Structure formats: structure tokens, C-alpha cells
């Protein structure tokens, strides 16, 4: 039933986001409870059944676009020797700002989102987080508060 919800959300993206949806069709969907939400390695999308159940179909569509964006924007390849956690936070900020403010899609409430990162590259956000203790602390606090709200 949960996998059907995921497949249906992906299919509905074909109506308005054909390019993004076609990218999603190339990524195998793999149920994996070791992830809290959804994740990608650039070849597969790993999904947590409880998370998929807990969000609306519109939110699920936005999360699927989020995961496809990591692949399209080559985040796994561009990471290089950067700190994995900080790079992931930077890329999430960039993607979520684009999804929320440019695409006007509905994201789940627990995602990282800060309007100041709208339109920035992941590299620029990463530099900000690495060089500005206050910005990094803000990101850490946002992650903590959202995980406590869950």
C-alpha cells in the first residue's frame, strides 16, 4: 500500500513536471528502514515506509523532486572531499528553497528550509556554513528542533 502511494505520487508528477518525473523513473525505489525519510545515492531512492505513510501525497511529490534534484544537480559527484554532513545540509537548503519558493510545492514541515539560501549554489551555502559559525549553529539548531518535533 505504501509503495503504491509512492508510485502514484511519482506518476502524478508526470502531469506538471515531466522532466523531473522522467528522471525519477530511472531511479529504482528501494524500501529501507535505515533511513528516516527518503535518500538517494544517485542511482536509487531509498524510502522509509513510516515516513511515506506520515506525509500527504503533495508533500511526497515534493520529496521525490527533492531526491531527483540531488541526482540532476550531481550533488553526490560534486561533494568531493567536503564534510558529508555539512554538504548534505547545504544541498538540502538549496533544493528545499527552490522547491518551496520557486516551484511553490508543499514540503513536509521537518525539512531544512531557510530563505536566505534561495538561488545560491550548494558550494556557496557550504562555504557559508563552514566559515560562519552562527550560520552553522543555526543549521544545527534547526535540525535539532525538527527532530524533536517529530
Amino acid at each position: 500500500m505504501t509503495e503504491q502511494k509512492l508510485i502514484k505520487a511519482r506518476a502524478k508528477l508526470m502531469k506538471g513536471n515531466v522532466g523531473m518525473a522522467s528522471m525519477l523513473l530511472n531511479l529504482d525505489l528501494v524500501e529501507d528502514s535505515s533511513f528516516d525519510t527518503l535518500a538517494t545515492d544517485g542511482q536509487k531512492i531509498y524510502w522509509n515506509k513510516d515516513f511515506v505513510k506520515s506525509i500527504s501525497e503533495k508533500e511526497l511529490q515534493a520529496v521525490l523532486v527533492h531526491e531527483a534534484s540531488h541526482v540532476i544537480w550531481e550533488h553526490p559527484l560534486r561533494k568531493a572531499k567536503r564534510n558529508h554532513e555539512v554538504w548534505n545540509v547545504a544541498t538540502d537548503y538549496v533544493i528545499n528553497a527552490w522547491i518551496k519558493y520557486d516551484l511553490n510545492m508543499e514540503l513536509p514541515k521537518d525539512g531544512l528550509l531557510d530563505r536566505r539560501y534561495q538561488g545560491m549554489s550548494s558550494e556557496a551555502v557550504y562555504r557559508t556554513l563552514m566559515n560562519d559559525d552562527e550560520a552553522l549553529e543555526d543549521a544545527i539548531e534547526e535540525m535539532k528542533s525538527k527532530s524533536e518535533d517529530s
Side-chain angles (χ1 to χ4, degrees):
M1 186 64 134
T2 309
E3 185 173 17
Q4 288 304 102
K5 180 179 179 181
L6 198 58
I7 292 167
K8 183 178 176 184
R10 183 176 64 178
K12 282 190 173 182
L13 282 170
M14 291 296 284
K15 290 182 181 176
N17 301 295
V18 176
M20 191 67 67
S22 63
M23 179 55 158
L24 285 165
L25 293 174
N26 293 321
L27 301 170
D28 292 331
L29 300 172
V30 178
E31 184 179 351
D32 189 333
S33 61
S34 68
F35 294 97
D36 292 334
T37 58
L38 275 75
T40 187
D41 61 5
Q43 298 174 355
K44 296 179 174 101
I45 292 181
Y46 301 93
W47 56 279
N48 179 297
K49 178 174 60 177
D50 294 330
F51 176 74
V52 170
K53 282 183 190 177
S54 74
I55 61 175
S56 72
E57 189 175 293
K58 292 273 188 202
E59 290 170 329
L60 184 54
Q61 288 175 356
V63 175
L64 286 168
V65 169
H66 175 103
E67 296 307 327
S69 296
H70 280 300
V71 177
I72 292 166
W73 294 347
E74 299 179 330
H75 289 156
L77 300 173
R78 290 168 44 201
K79 185 182 100 177
K81 295 182 180 184
R82 293 179 177 93
N83 176 287
H84 176 75
E85 288 80 17
V86 178
W87 177 248
N88 195 54
V89 167
T91 61
D92 281 357
Y93 271 134
V94 169
I95 291 170
N96 288 343
W98 176 68
I99 289 171
K100 172 77 173 173
Y101 304 120
D102 296 324
L103 298 182
N104 296 311
M105 293 182 81
E106 182 181 341
L107 288 163
K109 64 178 174 51
D110 294 338
L112 291 172
L113 184 63
D114 191 322
R115 189 166 209 130
R116 70 180 147 175
Y117 300 125
Q118 182 182 9
M120 292 177 68
S121 70
S122 297
E123 288 81 3
V125 174
Y126 180 87
R127 278 192 303 278
T128 299
L129 295 173
M130 292 301 286
N131 296 320
D132 181 338
D133 291 340
E134 188 174 329
L136 184 57
E137 187 61 36
D138 287 348
I140 292 168
E141 286 302 314
E142 185 176 2
M143 288 186 299
K144 280 183 188 175
S145 72
K146 291 187 181 216
S147 69
E148 290 169 0
D149 291 345
S150 308

